[in-house]
Amino acid sequence: MKKKPDTIVQIISENNEISTYTSFQNNVTFDLVFLEINYFMSNIDILDAILENTHNDSLLLINSIRYTKKNFDIWNTIQKHPKVTVTIDTYSLGFVFFRTEQAKEHFIIRK
C-alpha cells in the first residue's frame, strides 16, 4: 500500500519561499498568522500587533474558537474589530480576512 505524502512537506518542497516566525518581527508583513487562542488570552494586545503586520490579503487563523465560552467570546471580539471584514467559523478553527474591498460578513460552516 502506498503511503500518502504529508501535505505540508509537499507544499514546502514545491520551491516556495516560506519563512516562519514564533513572534512578530519589525518590518515583516505576514501573509498567514496562526494564533494560539490561549496566547491571545494572556496577551490581549496581540490583535493590534497582528493588524500592524498584515496586509489586505493576509489570513489570520485561530484555533479552538468554540472550545470554551472564553474562547468564543474572544472570537466574537475579533469579529467586531473594524479592520476585520470576513470571518469563517468552522467550529474548531476561525479564519479572519482583512479585505478592504469586501463588505463585512461572517460565515458559520455547520458541523
Side-chain angles (χ1 to χ4, degrees):
M1 185 157 54
K2 205 174 192 183
K3 183 182 173 196
K4 287 184 176 181
D6 183 9
T7 305
I8 293 175
V9 172
Q10 209 171 14
I11 292 168
I12 292 173
S13 69
E14 295 298 327
N15 294 322
N16 291 319
E17 290 186 30
I18 297 175
S19 300
T20 59
Y21 300 88
T22 56
S23 63
F24 286 99
Q25 309 293 316
N26 289 334
N27 301 319
V28 175
T29 302
F30 296 101
D31 296 323
L32 171 66
V33 176
F34 175 78
L35 179 61
E36 168 65 47
I37 202 160
N38 293 323
Y39 180 72
F40 186 89
M41 283 189 246
S42 65
N43 187 1
I44 297 290
D45 297 331
I46 193 70
L47 186 58
D48 290 329
I50 290 169
L51 294 173
E52 289 174 16
N53 290 284
T54 57
H55 55 80
N56 192 58
D57 296 322
S58 294
L59 167 62
L60 170 59
L61 183 59
I62 305 169
N63 72 323
S64 305
I65 61 171
R66 289 182 179 259
Y67 188 70
T68 66
K69 182 177 179 346
K70 178 75 172 164
N71 289 15
F72 195 63
D73 290 344
I74 290 169
W75 173 246
N76 286 323
T77 299
I78 291 169
Q79 284 182 314
K80 293 174 186 168
H81 194 283
K83 288 191 176 181
V84 171
T85 55
V86 175
T87 59
I88 302 172
D89 173 349
T90 66
Y91 284 84
S92 58
L93 291 173
F95 294 77
V96 180
F97 299 90
F98 311 100
R99 300 181 56 81
T100 56
E101 67 275 9
Q102 191 160 349
K104 196 165 190 94
E105 293 184 272
H106 304 293
F107 301 95
I108 299 174
I109 307 299
R110 293 184 181 172
K111 287 186 184 182

